Amino acid sequence: MGHTTSKSTSSDNSDASNSEPHHSYRHRIKHKLHLHHHRTTASHRSNLNTHDDFAGIALVTLVSAEMNFKDKWLACVSIGEQTFRTHVSQQTNKPVWKSEKKFILEKNGAHIAKVSVFETNRLSKNNLIGYCEIDFLKFLSQVSDSGTEVFELFDPSSSNTVVGKICVSCSIEDPIEIEKSFARRILSIVDYNGDGNLSFSEFSELINAFGNKLAAKKTEELFKAADENGDGVVSMDELALLLALQQEEESLINCCPVCGELLEISDKLNSVIHMSLCFDEGTGNQVMTGGFLTDTQASYGWMFKLSEWTHVSSYDVGLNSGSSASHIVVFDRLKKRLVEEIIDGKIILSMRAIYQSKLGLGIMDKGAKEILQSLSEKQGKKMNSVESAKDIPAFLEFFKDQINLDEVKYPLDHFKTFNDFFTRELKPGARPIVGVGRDDVAVCAADCRLMAFRTAEESLRFWIKGKKFSIQGLLGNNISCSNAFVNGTLVIFRLAPQDYHRFHFPVSGTIEQIVDIPGSLYTVNPIAVNSKYCNVFTENKRAVSIISTADFGKVAYVAIGATMVGSITFTKKQGDYVHKGDEFGYFSFGGSTVICVFEKDSIALDEDLLANSARSLETLVSVGMQLGVSIKKRV
């Protein structure tokens, strides 16, 4: 990612003049503006719901760090759906980067950033050594006059172990200053003689270059408004103030002069923010490289870049990341940023071979299902053996930054088998339940990656690609009230191996029925769910429960078995009255899924969950987070 200066060379100007003699001045303006062009990324795009939500544009600088050993280091900062990385330092235990980046800061949006530090001595993937999380809104309200603070870096395996320190600075601009600064940057480019003034003819050409025909007709009026002393020229500060005020009242610029993107005239604040970020010329420090989704992606070495170049895999949010890529990117609802789900590469390759080809599913149909069942049973017995306890440390190391041992109810030496740990309980209060006492508020049923759809038809468009999926097929033939769920609302809670594997009730009510349905043990990974060759949810082993509620009518609760899941264990039984947030049961080793189906027009799901799902993007949620609110009249 290049970083250009605000002045072009004289040779650039002469080339422009020769190539377009009839429009030389306008061409030179556009040519100089485009010298500042950076690839437009998410950081250049703002979508503020209200102006009150805008906290400013934050300039964040990763200054330096102190680590416990010498190496070559890089650092990443992740916020929202964007990640930036520094250059790689020299071999040292005190790396200095002075790498900066600007991004939009929103009061109700993403403002908690993860800062990660990686050692770079690995061939294909650099090693995460330490991280910290910074709430920039809080940081800016408490930071010293210097705007700089030192944060402790924690070991990904243990939030109690400090592995180093990092120095971070942050400053923020208010909207008026952003507008003035942006105007000055544009004007500094068109001031060819560098005297700090623009004549009327120069000003006219500048307005014409902005492409606003209405403003062009008012050029003389605008110029006189700026030329307060009547000397026939306008100073840079005078013109910057005029443009800032005009941009606030009536936009002079219809498209971004840097990237060419059309701007929403009715949304002046977002337009100014877009242009300011697009046009940012920095302060002379090293600018961080952007365009990454997660810190994991940003930290990959040359082998990852090679695979991208040869199109071996894609790296994106949404459906492609589940169906055809070697990475799954999900949106962390709590921290409002993208995170990557860790999956062993060999498992990815085998799942692709089976679930993304007719040949693979043909093999499954010719006896491999029985083999998978047998392997699952053997693996289940192994994970219940005393010898399996030795696998716990390696499991924790693989998922070192995704399992919080501080939440676990018992210490590690309490678990005598691997499955004991896999089905671990959490400490009381580790998962607060939203809306306690309000049964009209539904909550998330598991620590999981969630997809939510108003209807089953929506789920088929955005997520489930199995040709035979239907609500009736999911619930089976032995549920007497299955017709009540036709055209109902569908929520998929997918548990990954690193998750807390106990599932809970999303609503309060009485368990009317629990029906076991035998079936296959396909994986519930998106690679299989997104496959058009199999029907994971309607062919897998599952247990269907019907919960009768006062606020949502009947709710179907489907616990689905998956690869290497030997059993689904319930801790409640038919006839029990339960409260939302109560534990319902647990899955043994392997990772699995819960699906809840609500009657039509009984629940208004939270909009952020629906919006992410419409992008084929799973949302990382925890037990007890709000799922939606009842819109059904009580009977």
Side-chain angles (χ1 to χ4, degrees):
M1 177 177 175
H3 185 62
T4 59
T5 62
S6 60
K7 300 288 182 180
S8 65
T9 63
S10 58
S11 62
D12 291 332
N13 298 337
S14 62
D15 290 343
S17 299
N18 294 333
S19 63
E20 196 178 347
H22 299 295
H23 304 284
S24 58
Y25 191 83
R26 184 178 301 181
H27 180 84
R28 287 199 301 270
I29 292 174
K30 290 184 177 180
H31 180 67
K32 285 201 168 191
L33 287 171
H34 279 274
L35 287 177
H36 292 263
H37 176 67
H38 299 270
R39 184 179 65 159
T40 301
T41 66
S43 64
H44 295 157
R45 302 178 186 274
S46 56
N47 188 23
L48 299 174
N49 294 322
T50 67
H51 287 202
D52 291 338
D53 193 32
F54 177 61
I57 292 180
L59 172 62
V60 174
T61 305
L62 302 185
V63 182
S64 59
E66 293 185 16
M67 308 303 295
N68 291 341
F69 57 92
K70 290 185 177 181
D71 210 321
K72 295 181 179 180
W73 305 92
L74 69 85
C76 301
V77 55
S78 300
I79 185 166
E81 296 191 17
Q82 52 192 327
T83 293
F84 310 103
R85 59 167 282 179
T86 69
H87 61 284
V88 177
S89 75
Q90 298 296 320
Q91 184 86 11
T92 180
N93 66 331
K94 294 183 178 180
V96 176
W97 300 291
K98 292 184 179 178
S99 290
E100 67 178 25
K101 193 66 184 181
K102 284 189 176 182
F103 54 79
I104 301 163
L105 199 58
E106 302 172 47
K107 297 173 185 175
N108 297 313
H111 55 85
I112 299 177
K114 179 183 178 183
V115 178
S116 311
V117 178
F118 295 82
E119 61 170 339
T120 65
N121 62 357
R122 300 296 181 93
L123 181 63
S124 61
K125 180 181 178 183
N126 299 313
N127 191 31
L128 176 62
I129 298 299
Y131 77 97
C132 64
E133 293 191 335
I134 303 174
D135 184 333
F136 279 119
L137 289 180
K138 184 177 179 181
F139 179 19
L140 288 163
S141 67
Q142 298 179 349
V143 76
S144 63
D145 293 338
S146 66
T148 302
E149 190 168 331
V150 176
F151 296 88
E152 292 182 329
L153 294 168
F154 297 99
D155 187 328
S157 302
S158 173
S159 59
N160 296 321
T161 304
V162 176
V163 296
K165 297 178 181 180
I166 188 166
C167 179
V168 179
S169 73
C170 183
S171 59
I172 199 164
E173 299 175 279
D174 64 40
I176 297 299
E177 287 303 315
I178 292 170
E179 292 169 354
K180 290 181 180 178
S181 175
F182 173 71
R184 288 192 186 99
R185 289 173 184 174
I186 290 181
L187 296 172
S188 68
I189 291 175
V190 299
D191 179 24
Y192 281 95
N193 60 12
D195 65 355
N197 297 308
L198 292 181
S199 67
F200 176 72
S201 62
E202 289 173 326
F203 176 70
S204 299
E205 290 290 349
L206 178 61
I207 296 299
N208 289 334
F210 287 155
N212 189 327
K213 294 181 180 179
L214 183 62
K217 294 179 180 179
K218 300 167 58 179
T219 301
E220 187 173 354
E221 177 185 337
L222 293 170
F223 186 82
K224 287 181 178 179
D227 184 17
E228 293 182 352
N229 60 8
D231 61 357
V233 293
V234 175
S235 70
M236 303 298 277
D237 285 344
E238 287 175 333
L239 203 46
L241 179 60
L242 175 71
L243 285 182
L245 293 174
Q246 284 295 316
Q247 189 69 17
E248 190 70 22
E249 297 172 4
E250 182 181 355
S251 177
L252 297 178
I253 306 174
N254 289 349
C255 66
C256 176
V258 183
C259 70
E261 182 173 324
L262 293 176
L263 303 174
E264 293 287 342
I265 303 304
S266 61
D267 194 357
K268 297 181 178 65
L269 176 61
N270 279 317
S271 297
V272 171
I273 292 170
H274 170 100
M275 290 186 291
S276 180
L277 290 172
C278 230
F279 199 86
D280 178 30
E281 63 181 353
T283 62
N285 290 336
Q286 174 74 29
V287 176
M288 281 186 262
T289 303
F292 303 105
L293 299 178
T294 68
D295 57 355
T296 306
Q297 180 198 7
S299 71
Y300 274 92
W302 69 269
M303 288 187 68
F304 170 76
K305 296 299 181 185
L306 179 63
S307 70
E308 291 294 283
W309 177 71
T310 57
H311 303 289
V312 171
S313 65
S314 61
Y315 202 120
D316 200 359
V317 299
L319 187 62
N320 285 338
S321 69
S323 63
S324 63
S326 58
H327 316 86
I328 298 179
V329 177
V330 301
F331 188 80
D332 186 326
R333 192 187 200 188
L334 178 63
K335 297 175 180 176
K336 296 182 180 179
R337 63 171 177 258
L338 294 174
V339 295
E340 183 169 334
E341 182 175 330
I342 299 174
I343 305 176
D344 185 272
K346 295 187 291 295
I347 294 176
I348 285 285
L349 291 174
S350 62
M351 283 196 291
R352 272 203 206 150
I354 294 173
Y355 296 103
Q356 292 295 323
S357 70
K358 289 183 180 179
L359 176 62
L361 266 298
I363 294 172
M364 292 290 281
D365 287 336
K366 294 180 180 179
K369 291 181 181 179
E370 289 75 15
I371 295 173
L372 188 59
Q373 177 72 36
S374 176
L375 288 174
S376 175
E377 292 174 357
K378 290 179 180 178
Q379 187 70 9
K381 291 179 180 178
K382 178 183 176 183
M383 291 305 171
N384 282 319
S385 68
V386 175
E387 292 78 13
S388 66
K390 69 179 186 299
D391 296 328
I392 296 175
F395 183 81
L396 290 171
E397 174 61 25
F398 189 76
F399 297 113
K400 62 183 178 181
D401 60 340
Q402 299 191 33
I403 297 177
N404 185 359
L405 292 177
D406 295 336
E407 297 177 335
V408 180
K409 185 175 182 179
Y410 301 107
L412 280 180
D413 58 11
H414 170 83
F415 304 108
K416 305 307 180 187
T417 69
F418 185 88
N419 253 339
D420 281 348
F421 174 75
F422 193 78
T423 59
R424 59 195 176 274
E425 297 176 76
L426 301 183
K427 293 176 181 176
R431 294 292 181 269
I433 307 301
V434 167
V436 174
R438 284 193 57 188
D439 286 345
D440 62 328
V441 177
V443 299
C444 295
D447 284 11
C448 64
R449 293 99 180 97
L450 179 149
M451 297 293 284
F453 305 101
R454 292 186 178 93
T455 65
E457 286 70 26
E458 282 189 10
S459 72
L460 293 173
R461 286 206 310 272
F462 298 124
W463 194 243
I464 303 171
K465 298 306 176 186
K467 295 180 180 178
K468 298 179 181 179
F469 178 81
S470 66
I471 296 297
Q472 292 92 332
L474 175 70
L475 301 182
N477 300 321
N478 296 322
I479 300 298
S480 57
C481 58
S482 61
N483 289 337
F485 301 104
V486 175
N487 298 320
T489 297
L490 189 73
V491 185
I492 304 170
F493 304 89
R494 178 178 68 87
L495 286 71
Q498 61 269 39
D499 289 328
Y500 162 67
H501 259 68
R502 293 181 178 249
F503 47 88
H504 296 245
F505 291 98
V507 293
S508 299
T510 301
I511 304 173
E512 286 190 350
Q513 193 176 10
I514 300 178
V515 176
D516 287 324
I517 301 177
S520 303
L521 286 174
Y522 292 134
T523 178
V524 291
N525 187 283
I527 289 177
V529 176
N530 297 161
S531 171
K532 62 184 178 181
Y533 300 117
C534 66
N535 301 278
V536 172
F537 296 142
T538 57
E539 293 186 37
N540 267 27
K541 170 185 177 180
R542 57 202 184 277
V544 181
S545 304
I546 301 299
I547 305 166
S548 179
T549 77
D551 293 278
F552 298 93
K554 295 185 185 298
V555 178
Y557 191 111
V558 186
I560 301 175
T563 305
M564 291 189 294
V565 175
S567 63
I568 302 170
T569 303
F570 291 103
T571 54
K572 292 290 190 292
K573 64 183 184 300
Q574 186 171 314
D576 286 349
Y577 182 85
V578 298
H579 296 91
K580 69 176 182 183
D582 286 354
E583 181 187 299
F584 192 5
Y586 57 85
F587 293 110
S588 296
F589 177 68
S592 198
T593 290
V594 166
I595 296 181
C596 287
V597 187
F598 293 81
E599 293 180 18
K600 182 182 178 182
D601 298 328
S602 66
I603 186 172
L605 295 172
D606 284 3
E607 285 300 324
D608 65 315
L609 303 176
L610 291 170
N612 286 341
S613 299
R615 299 168 59 197
S616 301
L617 175 64
E618 293 175 295
T619 304
L620 185 65
V621 299
S622 299
V623 171
M625 286 185 177
Q626 182 165 307
L627 177 66
V629 178
S630 171
I631 53 174
K632 186 181 180 71
K633 292 183 179 180
R634 270 182 174 251
V635 179

